[in-house]
Amino acid sequence: ILNTVKEMTQPEVMTLLQRTALTAQDVDDDFVDAPSTFALLKQMRDPQTRRGLGRVMAMLRTIGAEQPAPRTDTER
């Protein structure tokens, strides 16, 4: 637990959390309507968006690796 707290209080992590919290507050005002598929594809051209998606995908991969695989109907 101590190592986890130590890692979470690193300046890079704290800056990332602060920027994420500020962005989450601003997003509600920006997206009154759901963006179109074209608008989402246009955002994919932004290098910052692609880096962010890469980080989220890596995080989701880590979370998924820690969870047991769901059982299918044939396994029951």
Side-chain angles (χ1 to χ4, degrees), residues 2 12 16 27 30 34 40 44 46 50 58 68:
L2 182 60
E12 303 87 24
L16 175 65
V27 166
D30 292 343
L40 292 173
M44 286 295 298
D46 181 8
R50 292 170 61 144

Side-chain angles (χ1 to χ4, degrees), residues 9-27:
T9 57
Q10 294 296 319
E12 303 87 24
V13 175
M14 296 302 290
T15 301
L16 175 65
L17 290 173
Q18 182 182 19
R19 286 192 338 229
T20 303
L22 291 173
T23 301
Q25 290 173 354
D26 292 341
V27 166

Side-chain angles (χ1 to χ4, degrees), residues 53-67:
L53 282 172
R55 286 183 175 185
V56 169
M57 296 301 285
M59 181 184 65
L60 290 174
R61 188 179 310 115
T62 302
I63 292 170
E66 294 176 2
Q67 301 297 320

Side-chain angles (χ1 to χ4, degrees), residues 27-76:
V27 166
D28 293 337
D29 298 334
D30 292 343
F31 294 109
V32 175
D33 296 325
S36 68
T37 302
F38 182 73
L40 292 173
L41 289 173
K42 186 177 175 184
Q43 288 179 19
M44 286 295 298
R45 296 183 68 191
D46 181 8
Q48 291 178 347
T49 300
R50 292 170 61 144
R51 275 193 299 274
L53 282 172
R55 286 183 175 185
V56 169
M57 296 301 285
M59 181 184 65
L60 290 174
R61 188 179 310 115
T62 302
I63 292 170
E66 294 176 2
Q67 301 297 320
R71 293 175 32 180
T72 62
D73 289 335
T74 58
E75 293 179 291
R76 293 180 188 178

